[in-house]
Amino acid sequence: MRQALPGECPIPVQVDRWRAGLPADAWPDGFPTSGDVWRRDVFAVADAYRAGSASARQLLAAVLMWGYGPIGYGPWRAAKSLGGDPTGQRLAGVLDEVSASALDEALLRTAYRRFRDPGQARLPWLGPAFFTKVLYFVGYRQGAGGVQPLILDRVVAGHLPAEAGVTRRNGWLAEEWLAYLRWAAEQARSRGVEPDEVELAVFQGR
């Protein structure tokens, strides 16, 4: 199991509200019921997905619970996202490639664009701030170094320096995401840390 990142805190989740708001088939097996969700808990669902013992819908639900945390409209929005892909096939079409293939920029660019394409994997209420979370959990290779999928949301974008290549606060293009991934990879290499440690430090304004 992955260890907590330096400076990481658990995300508070109102489990009863989420259980009531999500389709029964989307609830991840073994997901924490304590009300505290860590990145490692979502990575455990991603590991189960890659092993064939969790569904794409369960992985999406785990990511959204962690991502929305205590926000009151979270369960409603998550249910809408899940409702846009009742079988999980559209989502799995992207996740299977990212989880099973050797990562490179071309693969990440394609996955990002597919999540923005209504004819492919675009789902209601699943914009870049949330689908980059999905890509992070399903595709991150700890210890591999180099360009890794990372989360890009408004908070991260607002704290990034100009040299990271992100020019707007939302609605990012695939090339902006990739520029940020390259920048984070270089920051991680120069500091001897993981790229997602760089992402968390940026999120926290460190």
Side-chain angles (χ1 to χ4, degrees):
M1 178 180 288
R2 285 200 57 169
Q3 300 300 308
L5 297 181
E8 181 186 358
C9 297
I11 303 299
V13 171
Q14 297 178 353
V15 175
D16 291 343
R17 290 191 69 251
W18 279 92
R19 274 195 178 276
L22 294 182
D25 73 292
W27 189 265
D29 294 337
F31 206 64
T33 58
S34 65
D36 288 336
V37 178
W38 297 80
R39 290 187 187 217
R40 63 176 177 252
D41 299 315
V42 186
F43 274 119
V45 181
D47 289 343
Y49 175 77
R50 285 188 288 270
S53 56
S55 69
R57 283 166 58 81
Q58 288 174 318
L59 176 55
L60 177 58
V63 171
L64 295 179
M65 281 189 276
W66 179 84
Y68 282 117
I71 296 174
Y73 55 71
W76 181 86
R77 284 192 177 181
K80 291 294 184 182
S81 296
L82 289 160
D85 187 12
T87 66
Q89 290 181 342
R90 295 171 65 195
L91 185 62
V94 180
L95 301 188
D96 287 351
E97 278 192 37
V98 175
S99 63
S101 304
L103 285 183
D104 59 31
E105 290 191 18
L107 177 65
L108 292 172
R109 181 184 294 108
T110 298
Y112 191 99
R113 289 175 174 171
R114 290 178 70 185
F115 268 121
R116 294 189 59 149
D117 186 343
Q120 297 193 51
R122 183 174 176 177
L123 300 179
W125 295 107
L126 198 71
F130 279 90
F131 72 64
T132 58
K133 292 178 174 67
V134 178
L135 290 171
Y136 163 65
F137 281 108
V138 78
Y140 193 90
R141 270 76 158 168
Q142 187 179 22
V147 172
Q148 297 276 349
L150 298 173
I151 297 164
L152 180 60
D153 58 21
R154 283 191 176 192
V155 177
V156 172
H159 290 159
L160 285 171
E163 57 265 29
V166 175
T167 62
R168 64 192 81 194
R169 294 296 300 274
N170 55 32
W172 307 281
L173 301 176
E175 292 306 325
E176 290 180 282
W177 185 55
L178 289 169
Y180 154 59
L181 301 188
R182 294 185 205 107
W183 174 84
E186 177 55 28
Q187 297 300 310
R189 186 198 63 77
S190 66
R191 290 165 168 76
V193 299
E194 284 285 324
D196 59 354
E197 293 181 49
V198 175
E199 174 256 301
L200 180 59
V202 172
F203 179 85
Q204 295 176 339
R206 297 189 278 118

